[in-house]
Amino acid sequence: MLLGLKNKQICALVLLAGVFLSAQAPLWAQRGNAKNLYKRAAGEAARSYSEESVRKAAKLVKGLAPAKLRGSSYSIQRQAAPSLEELRRSLAELENLQKALLQEKLFLEGQERTRLAVFQAIPDGSSPVNTYSGTVFKINYLGEEEIFGVIASHTLAKQPGLPGLLGKEFRAAVQREGHVFVIPVQVVQTSSSKMLDLALVKFRKEDEALFQPLVMGNVRLADKELYSHGFACGLPMTLSSRTVKSISPGLIKTTISLDKPGRAGLCGSAVLNNQHELVGIHTGSSSALKNPADDTGYVVSSSMLRVLVKAYHNNGRAVFPVLLNAVRITQINVDEFISYAELMDEQGRVLWHRSFEGRYSPRQIEAQLNLLPSVRYIKLGIGKTSWSQPFGAFGPATVMKESQNIRTVWFDWKQGKEIEKILF
């Protein structure tokens, strides 16, 4: 498709192509106004199009040699007049091109609107140039439309004294029409960076008008290509093509066409489908050692934002399922995470153990379940994320604390049900 075209340009292209057609009809070629019409179309096209674009239009017409750009007009070498059927086919192709150009124009306009739903997250006391992204969306909750922002949980402070981490209260830099507005923001609901890795934020009512919040949607199997808006290395960043690799409950994996050094701060970016609906939030990526083309971007599905909003309205309580091989093992609250997993046989012997110091990976457990047919029991350690006040500090809590192993979950893999702890 041709990018960045306006209605005037589209009309010029179709007009020029129409003159190309009429120029081949012997009777039309003898009319005096054909020459004037041609000059008008050629001049308009010269102002609106590159030479390559006009050649593309010319090649759609059967029997015409490629058009050549000469100053502000084009010369066309006429050959034998095409048949009526050839003209009809050419006209149909031109109409399809016009539709494609209009669709491309609408898509680009939609992309431009989505840029009004992202912000740059800034720790208090820092300059407005930083490397964190945030996204604004709207949601209908119990019949009321509300506006929230979302960032990645791992950008929040986890230990006292760490520089550059956001904390519970920070600022958002919003760029509108050449101006930068810096507004206060507060985290109102969080999840563990090891699980959902999303944190919900609220703006002051008077600041909500700065945004055009995104409408939430879902990824469909037909959505092969997604795109994203956010910030990376302190600058606005758009990734126009993110091919879907896989879709699982709560997580989407895509390609990512950006080198690893340039991804800093991309987490928190909006990921959208071709209808410009928010389908997820970018929360991380991995790099393939052998082939950078195999790099993967991780996107938490927008459905998880609904869980956070529910928790916000329900004193922090809202659960989501933990699945292994599509089997529901248990459910945990939004502020909880899986700290370790053990697979055991009938006698309680540990066949496999894994602690999750970083992000929880169900794929690692599933791989072992497929390899170890003697697994009878699955044991999961559950931790909890909370805000904690730094030692000797007064005022709002700004430090994230993750408590390990507040409880355990036992699951009978053979019988397919959650059970009480077993005494071996």
Side-chain angles (χ1 to χ4, degrees):
M1 291 185 186
L2 304 178
L3 300 178
L5 300 182
K6 298 180 179 179
N7 285 329
K8 182 179 179 182
Q9 295 172 319
I10 294 172
C11 291
L13 180 58
V14 175
L15 179 61
L16 180 59
V19 175
F20 288 163
L21 285 172
S22 67
Q24 293 194 77
L27 293 178
W28 289 16
Q30 297 175 10
R31 295 182 181 177
N33 63 349
K35 185 176 181 180
N36 294 330
L37 185 61
Y38 166 73
K39 288 183 177 179
R40 174 189 164 197
E44 190 65 53
R47 290 189 293 271
S48 302
Y49 293 99
S50 65
E51 181 177 359
E52 181 182 358
S53 299
V54 177
R55 283 178 177 173
K56 183 176 180 179
K59 289 178 181 179
L60 288 174
V61 183
K62 301 291 184 180
L64 289 179
K68 296 181 180 180
L69 179 62
R70 294 179 181 173
S72 61
S73 63
Y74 296 85
S75 64
I76 303 172
Q77 179 181 355
R78 281 195 297 165
Q79 298 176 1
S83 67
L84 181 60
E85 185 60 31
E86 287 177 321
L87 289 173
R88 284 174 177 170
R89 285 198 300 267
S90 298
L91 182 59
E93 291 178 5
L94 288 169
E95 289 175 347
N96 290 335
L97 175 61
Q98 183 185 25
K99 291 177 182 178
L101 292 172
L102 288 171
Q103 289 175 353
E104 184 72 14
K105 176 176 179 291
L106 292 174
F107 182 77
L108 292 172
E109 289 175 348
Q111 279 191 317
E112 189 62 34
R113 288 195 302 271
T114 62
R115 292 189 180 95
L116 301 179
V118 297
F119 62 90
Q120 196 169 18
I122 310 166
D124 277 337
S126 300
S127 67
V129 177
N130 212 342
T131 58
Y132 305 117
S133 297
T135 299
V136 183
F137 66 96
K138 59 183 177 181
I139 185 173
N140 189 292
Y141 184 80
L142 298 179
E144 296 290 333
E145 186 175 271
E146 295 183 283
I147 295 176
F148 293 94
V150 61
I151 57 175
S153 291
H154 68 257
T155 64
L156 303 173
K158 296 179 181 177
Q159 298 178 25
L162 284 181
L165 296 176
L166 295 177
K168 192 173 184 178
E169 295 179 349
F170 59 93
R171 296 178 299 156
V174 186
Q175 301 181 22
R176 296 294 176 269
E177 299 178 354
H179 301 283
V180 177
F181 301 89
V182 180
I183 59 177
V185 182
Q186 184 177 37
V187 177
V188 295
Q189 181 62 53
T190 189
S191 65
S192 171
S193 60
K194 296 180 180 180
M195 297 296 292
L196 300 185
D197 200 11
L198 299 176
L200 203 64
V201 303
K202 275 298 252 182
F203 309 97
R204 298 177 304 186
K205 275 292 182 184
E206 59 267 31
D207 294 329
E208 290 180 354
L210 291 170
F211 302 97
Q212 289 189 15
L214 297 170
V215 176
M216 292 200 299
N218 298 311
V219 174
R220 297 170 291 271
L221 293 177
D223 292 326
K224 301 298 184 183
E225 298 288 335
L226 306 176
Y227 71 97
S228 60
H229 287 312
F231 295 87
C233 300
L235 299 173
M237 176 62 63
T238 298
L239 298 179
S240 58
S241 179
R242 299 186 62 165
T243 303
V244 176
K245 287 187 172 183
S246 66
I247 302 172
S248 58
L251 184 66
I252 308 164
K253 293 182 180 180
T254 74
T255 58
I256 181 165
S257 57
L258 186 63
D259 293 338
K260 186 176 180 179
R263 299 174 195 169
L266 196 64
C267 294
S269 298
V271 180
L272 306 105
N273 58 23
N274 287 337
Q275 287 71 48
H276 315 295
E277 299 169 329
L278 180 66
V279 299
I281 302 296
H282 176 89
T283 59
S285 62
S286 62
S287 299
L289 297 178
K290 295 183 179 180
N291 185 6
D294 295 331
D295 289 1
T296 299
Y298 299 99
V299 179
V300 177
S301 301
S302 61
S303 59
M304 294 304 175
L305 293 174
R306 301 182 187 278
V307 180
L308 261 72
V309 171
K310 181 179 179 180
Y312 166 72
H313 287 286
N314 196 30
N315 294 321
R317 185 66 184 168
V319 298
F320 62 95
V322 176
L323 305 176
L324 291 174
N325 284 345
V327 176
R328 180 185 176 279
I329 305 300
T330 187
Q331 60 184 19
I332 62 176
N333 201 52
V334 291
D335 58 358
E336 295 179 334
F337 61 93
I338 297 174
S339 57
Y340 72 89
E342 286 184 353
L343 304 180
M344 292 172 283
D345 64 11
E346 192 83 33
Q347 289 73 40
R349 291 184 296 237
V350 176
L351 304 173
W352 180 82
H353 173 92
R354 177 59 53 88
S355 295
F356 297 104
E357 301 299 331
R359 186 184 290 265
Y360 164 72
S361 173
R363 291 291 180 89
Q364 294 181 13
I365 308 176
E366 291 170 344
Q368 295 302 316
L369 286 172
N370 296 332
L371 289 173
L372 301 171
S374 59
V375 171
R376 175 65 189 269
Y377 301 109
I378 300 173
K379 180 183 177 183
L380 301 177
I382 309 298
K384 184 178 178 63
T385 302
S386 61
W387 289 105
S388 176
Q389 188 169 319
F391 178 76
F394 299 93
T398 58
V399 177
M400 292 294 296
K401 179 179 69 174
E402 292 188 332
S403 302
Q404 303 285 333
N405 308 331
I406 61 171
R407 63 187 177 92
T408 57
V409 169
W410 290 75
F411 187 83
D412 189 324
W413 184 242
K414 296 296 184 183
Q415 295 188 9
K417 64 179 181 179
E418 190 171 350
I419 57 176
E420 298 293 334
K421 182 177 179 179
I422 297 177
L423 297 177
F424 293 102

